[in-house]
Amino acid sequence: AANITDAVYLATVGALCAPGAWSFRGPLTELDDPTGIATQAGNNFTLLPGKYVCTISGSVYGLGGSKLRLFDITNGVARGEIDTYAATSYQSTAVFTSSFEIIAATTFGVQTSCEQVPFPGDRFDWGIPVRDPVTNNYGPSDFVSIYCNRTN
């Protein structure tokens, strides 16, 4: 199994919202991969051939609705997608699971699309930085988590 995440720091500028436009999340960091099934570079990660079950979660802040998807860059197709909606605080987290088989090493990325903004031209952020209770400073928070398990 491989565990990959992105972490965004305080004052990181979000992307300009344009409904229907997809933005890659990242940069990604490989946290744990004891079986060596994944390699990570920038906003992408590559999985070795096999059957996979991947769980993807991601947060957004500053918009009313968004989409999250696992995008197969090698083959140009989405391997799973979910919509999310934040009614009051403009923060939401989407989670979905995708099962697929790949016959060659394949590169993936996680993408977000903002679908609903509170005000025209609003920017959105990948999430809200978390306050460290000991230092009282704000630091990174995991805004996208990718957990892929090879099942064969």
Side-chain angles (χ1 to χ4, degrees):
N3 189 11
I4 301 167
T5 189
D6 80 336
V8 178
Y9 290 87
L10 183 65
T12 298
V13 177
L16 185 62
C17 275
W22 291 97
S23 298
F24 279 99
R25 305 290 294 258
L28 300 174
T29 303
E30 190 172 351
L31 297 180
D32 188 32
D33 183 13
T35 57
I37 61 171
T39 56
Q40 174 276 321
N43 295 347
N44 308 325
F45 63 97
T46 301
L47 295 174
L48 294 175
K51 292 181 181 179
Y52 288 89
V53 175
C54 294
T55 301
I56 295 91
S57 66
S59 298
V60 292
Y61 176 75
L63 63 145
S66 67
K67 292 182 180 182
L68 183 73
R69 73 180 180 183
L70 177 63
F71 191 72
D72 176 337
I73 297 167
T74 301
N75 298 296
V77 296
R79 296 286 185 160
E81 182 178 309
I82 192 169
D83 295 343
T84 181
Y85 176 73
T88 55
S89 68
Y90 304 123
Q91 180 180 10
S92 60
T93 299
V95 180
F96 69 93
T97 299
S98 178
S99 299
F100 53 89
E101 182 176 9
I102 51 177
I103 59 172
T106 303
T107 301
F108 295 89
V110 175
Q111 295 179 313
T112 296
S113 173
C114 59
E115 299 300 311
Q116 207 171 46
V117 295
F119 304 101
D122 267 7
R123 292 186 171 273
F124 67 93
D125 294 311
W126 297 131
I128 299 176
V130 174
R131 183 180 65 82
D132 182 326
V134 176
T135 65
N136 209 29
N137 293 323
Y138 284 83
S141 175
D142 292 344
F143 303 134
V144 169
S145 176
I146 306 153
Y147 180 80
C148 290
N149 187 34
R150 187 163 63 180
T151 59
N152 68 333

